[in-house]
Amino acid sequence: MPNVRIATYNVHKCRGMDRRVDPARIAAVLAGVNADLVALQEVLSIRGAAPEEDQAAFIASRLAGYEVYFGENRKLRGGAYGNAILSRLPVRLTRNYDLTWKGCERRGCLRADVELAPGTLLHFFNVHLGTAFLERRFQGRRLLSLDVLKSPALAGPRVVVGDFNEWTRGLASRLMTGEFESVDLRLHTGRRRTYPGLLPLLHLDHFYFDHHLKLRDFKLHRTRHSLLASDHLPLVAEFEY
């Protein structure tokens, strides 16, 4: 079975460090990543406007062979705002889970069941947690519930990626590392922090995966273009099943 290459990238509404909104620049960064599956957070989709304002679809149109799957969490500027998954592999099912806590901003987790080979599914989860302490505690428990990550309907290996917004080792991180393997950033990149890209102070973006998967390669995609395109950098992992 071939390896699968996965990336996670908070694109910050495609607003770069120069304050320009430029989805084409995000697409150029992803062309260099060359992943089979891409999890995007903070994506805006305004349909019926200029093509570049439907950001996930525009980014996919500038790349080769991707289908787009969008998980709307709330409305923004007359469009949909949330997470997106780009896939070059067949996707058999998608579902968007509501992770919203009380009066906080609406948050979600987008799932895609991806066919790695005939009869073999990978359950891919794209997460963007909140910024409040109690909010993330709720969201961590919600993720590790029987309705989401521990659902008995999940028959294949799971990969969970995204922006967890935990700048300390909070409950969500502890619950995730209790259930999954996680990527040791220092082992692969020589650093523990990845955000913001220009001067990393925090570790917000994470990769979690089942033990059925073997991590073959991992990198922080840090280039001149990626340092400008968003305040986050893409994280890229290659797995063998």
Side-chain angles (χ1 to χ4, degrees):
M1 184 179 296
N3 292 355
V4 59
R5 187 175 176 87
I6 298 174
T8 181
Y9 191 14
N10 185 325
V11 298
H12 192 51
K13 307 180 192 71
C14 298
R15 183 180 297 277
M17 300 304 291
D18 57 0
R19 310 303 296 167
R20 285 177 51 228
V21 176
D22 191 350
R25 188 164 52 184
I26 295 291
V29 171
L30 290 174
V33 168
N34 191 31
D36 301 301
L37 295 168
V38 182
L40 302 176
Q41 302 90 43
E42 294 196 30
V43 181
L44 181 60
S45 175
I46 304 177
R47 297 188 177 182
E52 60 269 21
E53 292 193 297
D54 189 353
Q55 293 178 347
F58 180 84
I59 291 166
S61 75
R62 301 294 290 262
L63 303 169
Y66 287 99
E67 294 292 332
V68 180
Y69 305 90
F70 190 80
E72 179 182 334
N73 296 327
R74 64 183 177 96
K75 297 294 184 183
L76 180 66
R77 300 207 299 268
Y81 178 71
N83 303 327
I85 289 174
L86 309 183
S87 178
R88 293 195 299 211
L89 300 171
V91 171
R92 300 308 181 200
L93 178 147
T94 62
R95 180 176 174 185
N96 198 41
Y97 298 91
D98 186 0
L99 302 181
T100 307
W101 186 71
K102 293 187 177 179
C104 293
E105 177 184 332
R106 296 191 65 82
R107 300 281 180 170
C109 168
L110 178 60
R111 163 189 162 192
D113 290 354
V114 181
E115 189 174 61
L116 298 180
T120 302
L121 288 181
L122 172 74
H123 303 292
F124 185 46
F125 293 83
N126 177 7
V127 175
H128 191 191
L129 299 190
T131 57
F133 174 74
L134 292 177
E135 178 186 16
R136 288 193 305 277
R137 290 178 68 86
F138 163 81
Q139 290 166 342
R141 294 189 182 99
R142 167 82 172 130
L143 279 174
L144 270 298
S145 71
L146 291 174
D147 186 46
V148 190
L149 291 174
K150 289 189 175 183
S151 169
L154 302 179
R158 300 161 295 173
V159 173
V160 189
V161 303
D163 181 354
F164 283 74
N165 264 322
E166 283 205 315
W167 43 89
T168 60
R169 186 173 166 79
L171 178 65
S173 296
R174 295 197 302 272
L175 289 173
M176 292 298 293
T177 53
E179 177 75 11
F180 297 96
E181 303 286 337
S182 63
V183 173
D184 185 340
L185 288 181
R186 178 166 288 182
L187 177 65
H188 293 274
T189 68
R191 63 178 71 194
R192 289 192 183 278
R193 302 175 181 90
T194 62
Y195 174 84
L198 284 171
L199 182 63
L201 301 173
L202 304 170
H203 180 195
L204 303 182
D205 305 289
H206 291 266
F207 255 91
Y208 298 103
F209 56 96
D210 271 320
H211 68 275
H212 306 81
L213 299 166
K214 184 172 184 179
L215 183 65
R216 283 297 188 187
D217 188 35
F218 181 86
K219 70 176 183 178
L220 182 67
H221 188 75
R222 196 172 192 269
T223 66
R224 180 171 62 88
H225 291 301
S226 67
L227 286 169
L228 187 61
S230 172
D231 55 347
H232 289 251
L233 295 174
L235 275 61
V236 190
E238 188 164 331
F239 294 99
E240 176 186 349
Y241 181 53

